[in-house]
């Protein structure tokens, strides 16, 4: 794999960080995971805006939008990819990598967790590199996704996804007041279809007809089961939403 470090292309195996780097020592960095199609990053402007917001919160310097786009394109070409999973990590420097997209899952099984997300944290709604808690919960669960509440017991988000629910043919999603990440794909879905933002408690999940997960890589996918309970196959609402979402 060839990566970009501050615009310089190097072999991934040769990349090194200074031992004093804040991302390495304290997780003081932000990142974006981006889907690439036909050699171009999807929804780049939206990803950049969120990255810039997160960087400002942590006091990090961010390169110009067009400079970053050029670096991304060069990494994609260097790795001879057209469709790719891009990872842009910003700390004391900027690291960009590109690799093949993960395989699509035929079924998606999720579980719920009692481990809350702190919606009052100053880092709430920032995609920070301090991601160990989410990865631990996901790995220990053995599921494809873990749905977490906030400290008030409201449905917040998954470890790697935003959430949508369908009940009586109405589409809902946790509001930003719950502390959920303002996902780029969440934003794109809400730009194209009617969605109601709500503050539901975790017990409300049992009354949902459908549950969808959204993120930049897998876009929008229906959930097969939650806590072992098989859900109905996604309705036409999901296929209509996918048809309208620009990726």
């Amino acid at each position: 794999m060839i990566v970009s470090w501050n615009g310089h292309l190097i072999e991934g195996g040769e990349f090194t960080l200074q031992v004093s780097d804040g991302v390495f020592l304290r997780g003081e960095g932000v990142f974006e995971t981006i889907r690439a199609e036909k050699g171009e990053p999807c929804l780049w402007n939206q990803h950049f805006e969120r990255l810039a917001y997160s960087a400002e919160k942590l006091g990090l310097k961010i390169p110009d939008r067009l400079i970053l786009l050029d670096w991304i394109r060069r990494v994609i070409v260097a790795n001879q990819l057209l469709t790719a999973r891009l990872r842009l990590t910003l700390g004391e420097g900027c690291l960009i990598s590109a690799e093949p997209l993960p395989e699509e899952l035929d079924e998606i099984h999720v579980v719920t967790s009692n481990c809350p997300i702190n919606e009052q944290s100053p880092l709430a709604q920032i995609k920070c590199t301090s991601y160990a808690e989410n990865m631990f919960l996901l790995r220990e669960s053995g599921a494809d996704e873990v749905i977490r509440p906030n400290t008030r017991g409201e449905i917040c988000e998954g470890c790697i996804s935003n959430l949508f629910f369908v009940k009586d043919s109405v589409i809902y999603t946790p509001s930003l007041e719950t502390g959920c990440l303002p996902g780029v794909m969440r934003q794109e879905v809400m730009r194209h279809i009617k969605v109601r933002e709500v503050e539901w408690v975790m017990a409300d999940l049992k009354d949902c007809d459908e549950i969808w997960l959204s993120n930049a890589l897998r876009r929008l996918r229906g959930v097969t089961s939650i806590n072992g309970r098989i859900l109905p196959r996604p309705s036409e609402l999901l296929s209509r939403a996918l048809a309208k979402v620009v990726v």
Side-chain angles (χ1 to χ4, degrees):
M1 178 194 296
I2 297 174
V3 302
S4 169
W5 175 243
N6 295 331
H8 301 288
L9 295 175
I10 57 176
E11 289 287 345
E14 298 176 3
F15 171 72
T16 59
L17 275 178
Q18 295 291 327
V19 294
S20 60
D21 190 282
V23 173
F24 176 71
L25 287 181
R26 299 176 295 276
E28 292 180 353
V30 295
F31 73 100
E32 289 290 318
T33 304
I34 307 168
R35 184 184 181 103
E37 295 279 359
K38 299 179 181 179
E40 290 290 321
C42 300
L43 303 173
W44 166 240
N45 288 335
Q46 293 91 320
H47 279 289
F48 179 84
E49 287 170 6
R50 185 172 65 177
L51 183 71
Y53 171 80
S54 299
E56 182 181 10
K57 282 284 189 178
L58 289 188
L60 300 173
K61 294 181 180 179
I62 181 171
D64 178 80
R65 181 194 309 253
L66 293 179
I67 290 175
L68 278 178
L69 180 58
D70 178 62
W71 293 355
I72 287 171
R73 286 170 171 164
R74 289 168 59 197
V75 168
I76 293 172
V77 171
N79 286 282
Q80 300 181 338
L81 296 169
L82 289 176
T83 302
R85 175 190 186 274
L86 304 171
R87 161 82 182 222
L88 192 161
T89 305
L90 185 68
E92 295 176 20
C94 179
L95 176 66
I96 304 171
S97 62
E99 58 186 332
L101 282 171
E103 292 185 8
E104 292 286 358
L105 300 174
D106 293 329
E107 297 183 343
I108 297 179
H109 302 279
V110 308
V111 296
T112 55
S113 171
N114 293 323
C115 182
I117 291 169
N118 182 8
E119 74 283 358
Q120 300 181 51
S121 167
L123 297 185
Q125 301 182 341
I126 290 178
K127 199 157 186 179
C128 182
T129 54
S130 304
Y131 228 57
E133 184 174 86
N134 277 348
M135 294 300 97
F136 174 83
L137 290 172
L138 192 57
R139 183 176 64 250
E140 291 297 302
S141 74
D144 300 310
E145 180 58 294
V146 178
I147 297 177
R148 301 180 63 186
N150 61 18
T151 63
R152 299 190 295 260
E154 298 164 341
I155 305 166
C156 187
E157 62 186 358
C159 290
I160 56 174
S161 311
N162 284 116
L163 308 171
F164 291 88
F165 321 108
V166 179
K167 184 177 180 181
D168 298 328
S169 298
V170 179
I171 305 169
Y172 302 89
T173 193
S175 75
L176 295 181
E177 295 299 316
T178 65
C180 69
L181 189 74
V184 166
M185 187 53 59
R186 174 188 183 274
Q187 173 186 333
E188 189 68 8
V189 170
M190 295 180 68
R191 194 164 70 88
H192 289 279
I193 63 175
K194 185 176 180 180
V195 178
R196 295 184 185 177
E197 294 185 274
V198 293
E199 292 85 43
W200 283 0
V201 296
M202 294 290 280
D204 291 325
L205 286 169
K206 70 179 186 301
D207 298 322
C208 295
D209 301 321
E210 301 176 43
I211 300 174
W212 305 345
L213 306 180
S214 70
N215 66 29
L217 292 185
R218 293 200 164 112
R219 296 170 290 194
L220 194 60
R221 296 291 307 277
V223 168
T224 307
S225 73
I226 178 168
N227 294 332
R229 177 172 68 91
I230 302 298
L231 295 174
R233 292 181 64 85
S235 65
E236 290 185 2
L237 285 173
L238 178 57
S239 57
R240 290 176 193 165
L242 273 171
K244 292 181 179 180
V245 171
V246 177
V247 296

